[in-house]
């Protein structure tokens, strides 16, 4: 006899012994609300929650901040050297190459599991477009100064 895919039975706001749920959050909601529908929703969403990484440790946070600071300073010095010493003629090309290399580095880090990138969507692009445009303008005007 196969298992039934319906939500576990509810008896007086608690789980029956025949079909225990391993998800403690689902058990608490079911006991509090007495709702099998809520339990089923939590069980279905539980796979998403268990796949999320644990919160970063303090040393990882500090390491990330130091990496950001060093890479940011490195880009500033590299830009000054390329634009001043080597007399690179196009600020726009330099900015485009930096944006492209950042995009490729993020994609590689995502593929290796270091970062979790959200999927690209039209709504996502619309929501960040004003800020991205301001950032692009800031970069282009800052590099040409």
């Amino acid at each position: 006899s196969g298992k039934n895919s319906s939500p576990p039975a509810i008896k007086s706001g608690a789980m029956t012994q025949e079909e225990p749920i391993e998800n403690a959050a689902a058990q608490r909601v079911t006991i509090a609300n007495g709702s099998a529908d809520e339990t089923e929703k939590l069980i279905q969403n539980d796979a998403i929650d268990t796949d999320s990484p644990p919160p970063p440790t303090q040393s990882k946070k500090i390491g990330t901040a130091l990496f950001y600071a060093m890479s940011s300073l490195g880009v500033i010095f590299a830009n000054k050297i390329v634009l001043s010493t080597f007399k690179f003629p196009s600020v726009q090309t330099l900015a485009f190459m930096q944006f492209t290399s950042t995009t490729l580095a993020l994609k590689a880090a995502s593929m290796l599991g270091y970062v979790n990138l959200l999927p690209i969507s039209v709504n996502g692009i619309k929501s960040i477009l004003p800020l991205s445009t301001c950032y692009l303008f800031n970069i282009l005007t800052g590099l040409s100064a």
Side-chain angles (χ1 to χ4, degrees):
S1 306
K3 271 195 156 177
N4 169 337
S5 65
S6 65
I10 307 294
K11 191 185 272 184
S12 302
M15 298 293 155
T16 63
Q17 293 299 324
E18 294 81 33
E19 295 186 52
I21 292 182
E22 310 241 345
N23 183 340
Q27 287 176 352
R28 284 192 299 273
V29 168
T30 302
I31 290 168
N33 297 339
S35 168
D37 291 335
E38 287 295 320
T39 302
E40 187 173 14
K41 287 177 189 174
L42 283 171
I43 291 170
Q44 290 171 351
N45 292 334
D46 191 50
I48 296 169
D49 293 340
T50 57
D51 291 342
S52 62
T57 62
Q58 188 69 15
S59 61
K60 195 167 193 174
K61 290 177 185 178
I62 292 171
T64 301
L66 289 174
F67 175 77
Y68 178 78
M70 296 306 293
S71 61
S72 184
L73 282 173
V75 167
I76 291 169
F77 287 130
N79 287 341
K80 290 299 178 190
I81 291 170
V82 168
L83 293 171
S84 302
T85 306
F86 296 113
K87 308 283 191 233
F88 193 76
S90 177
V91 171
Q92 292 82 7
T93 302
L94 182 61
F96 177 75
M97 291 186 328
Q98 288 177 351
F99 290 145
T100 302
S101 62
T102 300
T103 301
L104 293 174
L106 280 172
K107 184 64 177 172
S110 174
M111 291 170 67
L112 294 171
Y114 290 110
V115 295
N116 296 323
L117 299 178
L118 296 175
I120 297 173
S121 69
V122 174
N123 287 338
I125 291 171
K126 284 180 183 178
S127 68
I128 65 168
L129 193 59
L131 183 60
S132 298
T133 303
C134 290
Y135 180 70
L136 176 63
F137 181 72
N138 180 34
I139 293 296
L140 293 176
T141 56
L143 283 176
S144 60

